[in-house]
Amino acid sequence: MFSFLAPAAPRGDVSLGERVLQRLHLDGQLLLALVILALAGLAILYGASNQDAGLVYRQSVRVAVSFVVLLLVAQISPQVLRLWSPWLFALGLLLLLFTLHSGHIGRGAQRWLSLGVVRIQPSEIMKVAVPMMVAWYLHDRPLPPNWKQLFPLAAMIFIPVLLVAIEPDLGTALLILSAGAFGVFLAGLRWRVILLIALALAITTPIVWHFMHGYQRERLLSFLDPQRDPLGAGYHIIQSQIAIGSGGVFGKGWLHGSQSQLDFLPESSTDFIYAVLGEQFGFIGAIVLLAMYGFIIARSLLIALRAQDTYSRLLAGALSMALFTYVFINSGMVSGILPVVGVPLPLVSYGGSSLVTLMAGFGMLMSIHSHRKLLAT
């Protein structure tokens, strides 16, 4: 019987396909789930973009490139990843500082850095560099971390988060914060420490509110009451809720739906594509997609559980929970239970930067899993 909890087959019973996957350092079940999700994402994107074949083709190329990145990263052993962690973190910080000084400004944000033929978004590097750095720092230290260790950990997490928030890119800042925080939490942080940190964050909320941009405050206020500005800050949430509600249980059918096909729903191919899914495939389609994410997260956490050293275990766990944060924030903001912060739906939303970073993270997970098996035999 198929089960992601099933033990690995004895070496003599390994099929040709399994031997190929082992040679390429890939996990078959996780790879298959990612491929199915990517194909489903392209189909949803086609329906969300008014059947724009050119847009779907460009996204297909990005998906293919991201899987190549996954394959390449999977060849790097966890030991090498650990050695690279502080250097990648330092590189990401330097690029973030350089972006704030000389980065490209677009749509009111200074997020992009031009390298001549290509532009990069350095904040994407920190999505994997921060959990790598946290795992590297804790690797040779006794766990759970004490107060003396928590201060440098806080600096490793909050300095890049602050630099990204200044750009401003609140959604990416939250993803970096969650990836680093989960790395510390999985190290066995005591509950009284967690409660004290939560209390400190609650006390600093007025300070954070003071430094937020005007449009970010409007988004929070519209989250609490979308009807206060139905044609402005509350428009996205209202149209999204209409799209999801009109889909009912079974949806209006693929390529059908007034909100997505008549352009009532803003950002329908990017941040709000989950609302398109709800309108066209209904409650059933939304649950099936969440179940696919659930399988991928469960498989990733199993890899973390089976990891052989502290660095691998913390890194795999943090990357797994970062995917959960992606899905939770996107589905939550589209459904109106969380404020709109601009987080894409992994492997479904249109875009390339976050996709490449995400698949690099899955490459690390597969490296941790496959190299563990090689050591075990």
Side-chain angles (χ1 to χ4, degrees):
M1 183 178 69
F2 175 81
S3 169
F4 70 85
L5 292 172
R11 193 177 185 85
D13 297 334
V14 174
S15 66
L16 176 62
E18 289 173 324
R19 285 201 295 271
V20 171
L21 289 171
Q22 288 177 1
R23 183 65 63 89
L24 294 175
H25 299 289
L26 297 175
D27 178 70
Q29 296 178 37
L30 185 56
L31 180 65
L32 178 62
L34 290 172
V35 170
I36 293 174
L37 179 60
L39 293 175
L42 291 174
I44 297 169
L45 181 62
Y46 185 68
S49 61
N50 283 322
Q51 297 117 68
D52 187 342
L55 183 141
V56 175
Y57 172 75
R58 291 192 295 275
Q59 184 67 7
S60 302
V61 173
R62 290 167 174 168
V63 170
V65 170
S66 71
F67 272 96
V68 173
V69 170
L70 181 154
L71 178 62
L72 294 176
V73 174
Q75 310 313 306
I76 305 171
S77 71
Q79 290 75 22
V80 174
L81 288 173
R82 179 160 57 86
L83 292 175
W84 287 0
S85 296
W87 300 106
L88 183 65
F89 182 79
L91 175 65
L93 276 183
L94 288 175
L95 290 176
L96 280 178
L97 291 170
F98 195 67
T99 302
L100 289 174
H101 182 267
S102 307
H104 174 77
I105 300 176
R107 304 178 67 180
Q110 193 168 357
R111 303 173 185 172
W112 296 88
L113 196 60
S114 176
L115 299 179
V117 295
V118 66
R119 289 193 306 172
I120 64 169
Q121 198 170 353
S123 57
E124 292 294 335
I125 298 175
M126 302 312 284
K127 287 182 181 177
V128 294
V130 168
M132 288 174 72
M133 187 66 186
V134 168
W136 174 84
Y137 179 79
L138 292 172
H139 176 70
D140 291 325
R141 289 174 169 78
L143 300 180
N146 55 36
W147 283 106
K148 186 178 178 181
Q149 295 165 348
L150 285 177
F151 285 107
L153 285 170
M156 293 172 198
I157 296 172
F158 282 102
I159 289 176
V161 166
L162 182 62
L163 293 175
V164 175
I166 292 174
E167 288 181 350
D169 189 351
L170 186 58
T172 301
L174 287 174
L175 293 175
I176 295 171
L177 174 63
S178 68
F182 274 121
V184 179
F185 176 76
L186 293 174
L189 208 58
R190 293 184 175 89
W191 280 107
R192 66 172 181 271
V193 177
I194 296 174
L195 291 175
L196 286 173
I197 293 174
L199 180 62
L201 291 175
I203 293 173
T204 57
T205 298
I207 301 174
V208 175
W209 176 267
H210 175 74
F211 286 101
M212 290 179 73
H213 292 265
Y215 77 93
Q216 292 172 336
R217 295 178 184 175
E218 284 297 321
R219 284 181 176 180
L220 285 176
L221 293 173
S222 297
F223 158 68
L224 298 173
D225 181 15
Q227 297 298 333
R228 66 185 293 274
D229 189 10
L231 299 179
Y235 184 76
H236 289 64
I237 295 177
I238 293 173
Q239 296 301 321
S240 177
Q241 290 176 333
I242 292 174
I244 294 174
S246 65
V249 177
F250 300 104
K252 296 178 178 177
W254 189 43
L255 309 181
H256 295 84
S258 57
Q259 297 301 112
S260 56
Q261 302 302 305
L262 299 179
D263 293 330
F264 286 110
L265 182 64
E267 310 291 345
S268 61
S269 60
T270 53
D271 294 347
F272 282 80
I273 198 168
Y274 189 67
V276 177
L277 172 75
E279 183 179 37
Q280 297 188 359
F281 296 94
F283 177 76
I284 300 297
I287 290 298
V288 169
L289 186 70
L290 290 180
M292 294 172 66
Y293 283 120
F295 175 84
I296 292 172
I297 293 169
R299 182 67 189 173
S300 300
L301 287 174
L302 185 66
I303 290 174
L305 189 65
R306 291 175 172 174
Q308 291 179 320
D309 57 69
T310 300
Y311 174 83
S312 301
R313 188 162 50 253
L314 293 181
L315 177 59
L319 292 174
S320 306
M321 295 309 296
L323 176 65
F324 167 80
T325 306
Y326 259 107
V327 178
F328 177 74
I329 292 181
N330 182 275
S331 58
M333 73 177 193
V334 169
S335 305
I337 61 174
L338 290 176
V340 177
V341 290
V343 172
L345 193 60
L347 279 165
V348 178
S349 292
Y350 180 74
S353 299
S354 63
L355 182 61
V356 170
T357 308
L358 183 73
M359 298 306 274
F362 279 116
M364 293 178 189
L365 281 165
M366 294 197 183
S367 168
I368 291 169
H369 184 62
S370 61
H371 285 88
R372 177 198 64 86
K373 286 198 293 187
L374 287 176
L375 287 173
T377 56

